[in-house]
Amino acid sequence: MSTDPQRPLAFGTLAIHAGQEPDPTTGAVMPPIYQTSTYRQPALGEHLGYEYARVQNPTREALERNLAGLEGGTHGIAFASGLSAIEAVLKTLSAGDHVVSEENTYGGTNRMFNRVLSRLGIQFTFVDSRDPDQVRDAMRPETRLLHVETPTNPMMRLCDLRAMADIAHEADALLMVDNTFSTPFNQRPLEFGADIVVHSTTKYLNGHSDVIGGALIVNDDDLAEELFFVRKSTGAVPGPMDAWLVLRGAKTLHLRMQAHNQNGLAVARFLQEHPAGEAVHYPGLESHPQHDLAVRQMTGFTGMVSVELGSGDRARRFVEGTRLFALAESLGGVESLIGVPALMTHASVAPERREAMGVTDGLVRLSVGIEDIGDLIEDLKGALAGL
Ligand SMILES: Cc1ncc(COP(=O)(O)O)c(C=O)c1O
């Protein structure tokens, strides 16, 4: 869709219209699911822009244009999962290259870096990116990439995106930001100087817990070309049906995120006041040590909340005691989920590293959905009463 530079479209309009044109064959308002692996070519050496679906698929391209519009980028590149999106960026590097990464990322990202890619000769240094000096000190002449997540999973730590971009660029490296927790509704890293935004679209962007997917968004043509090349050459594409589902989810992102932000804040406040909670991690609370930074670079604080209950036994009884909050991995769907990161999403992180970051056996992570907030609070009250 063309946009008048004099009057940029608002986020809610972009969510529905960015990159969407009626189908050229029928005028269908929703992009068809082009469920095909290949395309008939009119003559040898000629094609209509589509040769083979690992390389081109119109449904996937509709999703990619939409996500690029939401993040304020010029190119979206969709993947089969969030991890394969991150992996594609790392596959632009070579053996001997060095990556600086936030230590408190999603556990699967940490496992891929530590146990898969390091075997191929890529070197990693893990840092606490709340402290820009620590990040700067970790940069080396062979550092090609700085990877951060903000807020982090599950400690809800933040890093200053502008400072991270400056540090990366001073060292001639790229800044990649995992924006899965925030979504572009709450935070747009490219506007702070990031080079690559990554999403597990499995989470808020799709929003209905029925797809595994990932995406990269960039605003540099050469970088986009390199990433498209890696995807074409290694193959981690999403199927057309999954691309279509994520696009359908993205069209209501603004409405869902408003509700997630409201419910997340209400649950964080409730847990903070409840005597069972020893500490509540939520950037929207004034007590969060980086609340000022949160207000500067985010416009909302999501539905992700972590609470420390003091012991593994209390955490187990809490997550087994809720009725509406389902005990499950993942996050970002319309329904509320609850889990213990040390035993679930972050089980693959070494125990001593987990402890050092505060990912204790007593830490419970909630993905607050968009159900009625009164019902959610009652559910939590009931489960906490049993501790
Ligand atoms: C912040 C974050 N990034 C990346 C991933 C990986 O995404 P996927 O499960 O789609 O591969 C996850 C998964 O939980 C996540 O929470």
Side-chain angles (χ1 to χ4, degrees):
M1 146 157 299
S2 60
T3 56
D4 173 4
Q6 299 304 315
R7 191 181 181 287
L9 296 175
F11 191 90
T13 311
L14 286 175
I16 293 162
H17 293 289
Q20 307 307 298
E21 299 290 349
D23 181 58
T25 316
T26 63
V29 171
M30 289 299 135
I33 303 166
Y34 282 89
Q35 193 76 43
T36 186
S37 61
T38 193
Y39 308 87
R40 184 173 180 166
Q41 304 187 3
L44 193 60
E46 281 177 33
H47 58 80
L48 306 173
Y50 295 90
E51 298 152 280
Y52 185 60
R54 174 159 35 75
V55 188
Q56 309 103 347
N57 179 283
T59 317
R60 194 170 74 213
E61 289 161 5
L63 169 66
E64 293 172 336
R65 290 192 300 268
N66 183 260
L67 298 184
L70 293 184
E71 283 288 2
T74 49
H75 302 276
I77 308 152
F79 286 85
S81 66
L83 281 186
S84 61
I86 296 172
E87 188 196 17
V89 175
L90 275 286
K91 282 177 176 162
T92 64
L93 308 187
S94 307
D97 286 344
H98 177 242
V99 176
V100 175
S101 171
E102 158 62 37
E103 60 184 0
N104 180 221
T105 59
Y106 164 58
T109 306
N110 187 283
R111 178 179 56 201
M112 171 169 51
F113 288 176
N114 262 320
R115 296 181 47 196
V116 179
L117 296 171
S118 59
R119 283 197 275 115
L120 305 180
I122 298 176
Q123 304 169 59
F124 294 90
T125 302
F126 295 93
V127 293
D128 178 347
S129 63
R130 285 175 298 186
D131 176 5
D133 290 337
Q134 210 185 109
V135 179
R136 192 176 287 105
D137 289 349
M139 303 300 279
R140 301 187 205 152
E142 63 275 21
T143 307
R144 300 271 316 279
L145 184 72
L146 170 59
H147 174 67
V148 297
E149 227 177 79
T150 181
T152 62
N153 179 355
M155 296 308 295
M156 309 303 286
R157 296 174 2 180
L158 308 186
C159 64
D160 183 328
L161 286 171
R162 181 92 56 202
M164 293 301 116
D166 289 347
I167 293 169
H169 297 157
E170 274 160 25
D172 259 343
L174 297 180
L175 173 63
M176 164 152 74
V177 179
D178 188 328
N179 206 28
T180 299
F181 265 39
S182 297
T183 83
F185 183 73
N186 287 325
Q187 172 175 279
R188 274 178 294 284
L190 296 177
E191 291 174 4
F192 293 92
D195 302 284
I196 305 170
V197 171
V198 60
H199 279 280
S200 167
T201 56
T202 313
K203 310 297 177 346
Y204 284 117
L205 290 185
N206 174 57
H208 295 78
S209 303
D210 48 16
V211 163
I212 297 287
L216 299 173
I217 297 100
V218 302
N219 53 21
D220 179 273
D221 293 348
D222 293 339
L223 181 56
E225 198 180 321
E226 208 179 342
L227 293 166
F228 276 118
F229 173 79
V230 169
R231 188 185 63 179
K232 161 173 105 170
S233 307
T234 57
V237 289
M241 177 74 189
D242 283 357
W244 186 86
L245 282 167
V246 177
L247 177 58
R248 181 157 116 155
K251 284 172 190 282
T252 56
L253 183 67
H254 52 305
L255 298 179
R256 289 186 288 105
M257 290 318 296
Q258 280 168 25
H260 282 295
N261 288 347
Q262 268 172 24
N263 282 1
L265 184 59
V267 164
R269 289 209 168 116
F270 162 75
L271 290 171
Q272 190 176 39
E273 277 155 28
H274 198 284
E278 292 182 7
V280 179
H281 308 288
Y282 187 75
L285 290 177
E286 292 74 11
S287 58
H288 188 286
Q290 295 170 291
H291 180 66
D292 290 350
L293 175 60
V295 171
R296 273 208 310 281
Q297 69 185 20
M298 302 173 77
T299 48
F301 309 107
T302 89
M304 297 307 298
V305 183
S306 294
V307 57
E308 175 57 56
L309 293 179
S311 79
D313 181 53
R314 283 162 65 80
R316 184 182 54 75
R317 282 189 284 146
F318 181 40
V319 302
E320 289 179 356
T322 52
R323 283 182 311 110
L324 289 175
F325 278 83
L327 174 55
E329 304 253 356
S330 202
L331 61 105
V334 290
E335 71 295 316
S336 294
L337 303 179
I338 192 164
V340 178
L343 301 181
M344 297 167 72
T345 50
H346 289 67
S348 61
V349 179
E352 57 289 355
R353 189 184 279 274
R354 275 202 313 257
E355 284 288 326
M357 292 185 298
V359 186
T360 63
D361 290 351
L363 187 81
V364 172
R365 190 189 78 179
L366 300 96
S367 171
V368 183
I370 62 172
E371 300 95 332
D372 179 84
I373 188 61
D375 290 337
L376 293 181
I377 299 280
E378 276 310 304
D379 192 30
L380 297 175
K381 245 186 220 163
L384 289 170
L387 295 194

